[in-house]
Amino acid sequence: MPAPSPSAARAGFPVSRQVLADHVYEALLEWLMDGRLEPGAAVSIDGMARELDVSPTPVREALARLEHTGMVRRVALKGYRVAPVFTREDFAELMEARLSIEPVNARLACSRMTPDGLDALKQAVEDLKTAPRGGTFAEYRSYLEADERFHQLIAAQANNQFLLAAYNTLGGQIQRFRLFGGVGITDAEQAIAEHQAVLDAMAGGDPEKAADMMTEHVEKVRGRAMADAPGD
Amino acid sequence: MPAPSPSAARAGFPVSRQVLADHVYEALLEWLMDGRLEPGAAVSIDGMARELDVSPTPVREALARLEHTGMVRRVALKGYRVAPVFTREDFAELMEARLSIEPVNARLACSRMTPDGLDALKQAVEDLKTAPRGGTFAEYRSYLEADERFHQLIAAQANNQFLLAAYNTLGGQIQRFRLFGGVGITDAEQAIAEHQAVLDAMAGGDPEKAADMMTEHVEKVRGRAMADAPGD
DNA sequence: GCGCCTGCGTTCCTATAGGATTTGTGCCAT
DNA sequence: ATGGCACAAATCCTATAGGAACGCAGGCGC
């Protein structure tokens, strides 16, 4: 159907070309990560195909991949739904998992840090500080993005493909919780200070301290969230 | 005609029915896990469809899910291949990741252990002891299966969906390494003793010791494997 | 001989069609 | 009024067809 551009043979196509299913995957992931698809909502294959103006086949493939991230769930012969909102137990489990992985990432990232990596981290913290944190979602969206980016960069700098994959799975869930956890951004000052503490330890080249600061950060995030949202 | 028996009206159909793509997924996973599909081998969509006597569509869906486990890799417009053999660095990274997750699993599993769970663990260790460890693959296949099962059970008993998901991703890679790491089973006696030590700590209800024993086990596995397979 | 290109088979990728299943609605019997 | 059945629409699931890209072999020019 997109006959006008049958091939990416134009100058400088990406090193690895993408197919339709990849674009669908990215579109769905973006919609999940920025709240356009709400927890519990049905994700119809045919419906998505109509909306994206593609056939159901690539949508099916993209959803099959997304299922493995835990962000959508499938019931045979019934279809896909966005994973439901976190319960209090889910959140506790997520934080427990973060506590077992992120401090390790921080320690490894610190000992293997590159100058570029450190710059990127500094930029993320800077973005956190300058990001608006107003009431509407569109406002503090960039704040959440910078938060997620900070942790993702550390996982990447740890230079371990398996830990990175494990974190990325968690990261999607964390971001979904940030969006739908019920609480807005009520702890920006403290969170920024904790991020800064991690960054300082990294810049100082102290792996153990970086790990400790990360542990402290995640524990405090857990404490604040559990206090803010006692319901459920 | 009062024929209200759609199809699954047989006695006790599974709570969640399966579709073709699920069967294809399981078949491929089994072939990957028992060595029938060797690292680097091409996994043709059409070819698999012919072999399994289904259309390419469910095969494509199954492979899309498998890609996210890291056991197969996809190159756009070129197809899927079984992930290549582990390099020495890959193995080191895998063990590093295990060391950050499995001791935590062991600690949590110990404090949350159920009697049934403990029985299953005991059975796994028993199976390890009695499994043949002869030279041919078919011989020590059950040994590898019991090994993987032991660790998987602990991850399940930890009662944390995220840690379980993280472990399962690692577990597939671990099993693939056990199969294709180049070394057969040269350390059964020591490995069994280490498993027994973990089990004893679990049975004794000492979470910290369980975690320590697990750490020790993984570290020793790493040490033995690095010594056995110095190449690469 | 070496490099390039041209043709062909294989494979991937997307769209489409049709069967199977679930869900929602309305009617009928109790 | 309530429960159950039948019918209809929407959706999922699988198969199939055809276009597009890749890999390879063979031939041509240098």
Side-chain angles (χ1 to χ4, degrees):
Chain A
M1 187 61 76
S5 67
S7 79
R10 268 280 162 268
F13 58 86
V15 284
S16 172
R17 274 180 292 181
Q18 289 192 336
V19 291
L20 257 188
D22 292 330
H23 288 131
V24 174
Y25 179 87
E26 287 175 8
L28 286 173
L29 189 60
E30 191 179 328
W31 292 0
L32 283 165
M33 292 293 252
D34 74 5
R36 188 159 160 184
L37 286 173
E38 296 188 6
V43 183
S44 156
I45 294 174
D46 291 347
M48 278 299 154
R50 282 191 297 270
E51 191 152 350
L52 295 170
D53 197 38
V54 297
S55 81
T57 310
V59 175
R60 172 175 297 277
E61 184 173 336
L63 282 171
R65 283 190 243 169
L66 275 175
E67 186 196 0
H68 211 280
T69 69
M71 298 211 271
V72 300
R73 294 185 181 175
R74 182 179 71 99
V75 178
L77 302 180
K78 284 193 56 181
Y80 291 88
R81 305 190 79 85
V82 182
V85 186
F86 276 19
T87 67
R88 201 173 173 74
E89 279 91 21
D90 289 335
F91 179 74
E93 289 183 18
L94 180 60
M95 288 299 145
E96 198 170 70
R98 285 186 75 179
L99 279 171
S100 79
I101 291 178
E102 294 215 57
V104 176
N105 282 348
R107 173 167 44 241
L108 295 175
C110 185
S111 59
R112 296 166 184 173
M113 184 62 67
T114 64
D116 285 353
L118 193 57
D119 286 344
L121 274 181
K122 286 178 180 170
Q123 185 60 52
V125 173
E126 207 56 38
D127 292 347
L128 265 184
K129 290 178 180 170
T130 61
R133 359 196 221 279
T136 84
F137 166 71
E139 300 276 311
Y140 58 83
R141 183 193 141 112
S142 60
Y143 176 91
L144 297 183
E145 184 276 326
D147 189 352
E148 171 63 20
R149 176 152 44 92
F150 179 81
H151 291 274
Q152 217 278 340
L153 281 170
I154 289 177
Q157 281 289 313
N159 216 38
N160 181 313
Q161 57 183 312
F162 303 105
L163 288 173
L164 177 58
Y167 173 77
N168 278 336
T169 298
L170 295 182
Q173 307 286 2
I174 295 168
Q175 183 70 353
R176 249 170 45 84
F177 175 79
R178 291 194 191 102
L179 286 169
F180 299 110
V183 304
I185 301 179
T186 60
D187 61 345
E189 295 306 325
Q190 304 159 63
I192 289 173
E194 290 158 21
H195 283 123
Q196 182 70 53
V198 174
L199 177 57
D200 289 345
M202 295 254 176
D206 186 342
E208 289 311 316
K209 184 166 186 188
D212 289 345
M213 292 299 100
M214 181 62 86
T215 299
E216 193 177 313
H217 168 51
V218 176
E219 282 177 343
K220 289 191 172 175
V221 166
R222 173 169 63 179
R224 289 192 293 266
M226 297 290 250
D228 281 357
D232 228 59
Chain B
M1 175 63 77
S5 64
S7 66
R10 267 277 164 275
F13 59 85
V15 286
S16 173
R17 276 181 291 177
Q18 288 193 336
V19 291
L20 257 186
D22 292 330
H23 290 295
V24 174
Y25 179 87
E26 287 173 9
L28 286 173
L29 189 59
E30 191 179 328
W31 291 0
L32 284 165
M33 291 293 253
D34 76 3
R36 186 159 162 185
L37 286 173
E38 295 188 8
V43 183
S44 156
I45 294 175
D46 292 345
M48 278 299 155
R50 282 192 296 271
E51 191 151 351
L52 295 171
D53 198 37
V54 296
S55 81
T57 309
V59 175
R60 173 174 295 276
E61 185 173 337
L63 282 171
R65 285 189 242 167
L66 274 174
E67 185 195 2
H68 212 281
T69 69
M71 298 211 271
V72 300
R73 294 186 181 173
R74 182 179 70 99
V75 178
L77 302 180
K78 284 193 55 181
Y80 291 87
R81 305 191 79 84
V82 181
V85 185
F86 276 18
T87 67
R88 201 173 172 75
E89 278 94 20
D90 290 335
F91 179 74
E93 289 184 18
L94 180 61
M95 289 298 145
E96 198 171 67
R98 287 187 75 178
L99 279 172
S100 78
I101 291 179
E102 294 216 57
V104 177
N105 282 347
R107 174 165 46 238
L108 296 174
C110 185
S111 58
R112 297 165 184 175
M113 183 62 67
T114 64
D116 284 354
L118 194 57
D119 286 344
L121 275 181
K122 285 178 180 170
Q123 185 61 52
V125 173
E126 206 57 35
D127 291 347
L128 265 183
K129 290 178 181 171
T130 60
R133 353 197 226 279
T136 84
F137 166 70
E139 300 276 310
Y140 59 82
R141 183 194 141 112
S142 60
Y143 176 91
L144 297 182
E145 185 276 326
D147 190 352
E148 171 63 19
R149 176 153 45 92
F150 179 81
H151 291 274
Q152 217 279 341
L153 281 169
I154 289 177
Q157 281 288 313
N159 216 38
N160 182 312
Q161 57 183 311
F162 303 104
L163 288 173
L164 177 58
Y167 173 76
N168 278 337
T169 298
L170 295 184
Q173 307 285 5
I174 295 168
Q175 183 69 353
R176 251 172 41 86
F177 175 79
R178 290 194 191 102
L179 285 170
F180 298 109
V183 303
I185 301 179
T186 59
D187 61 346
E189 295 306 326
Q190 305 160 62
I192 288 173
E194 290 159 21
H195 282 121
Q196 182 70 52
V198 174
L199 176 58
D200 289 345
M202 295 254 174
D206 187 341
E208 289 312 315
K209 184 165 185 187
D212 289 345
M213 291 301 100
M214 182 61 87
T215 299
E216 193 176 314
H217 168 51
V218 176
E219 282 177 343
K220 288 191 173 174
V221 167
R222 172 170 61 180
R224 288 193 292 266
M226 297 288 250
D228 280 359
D232 229 63

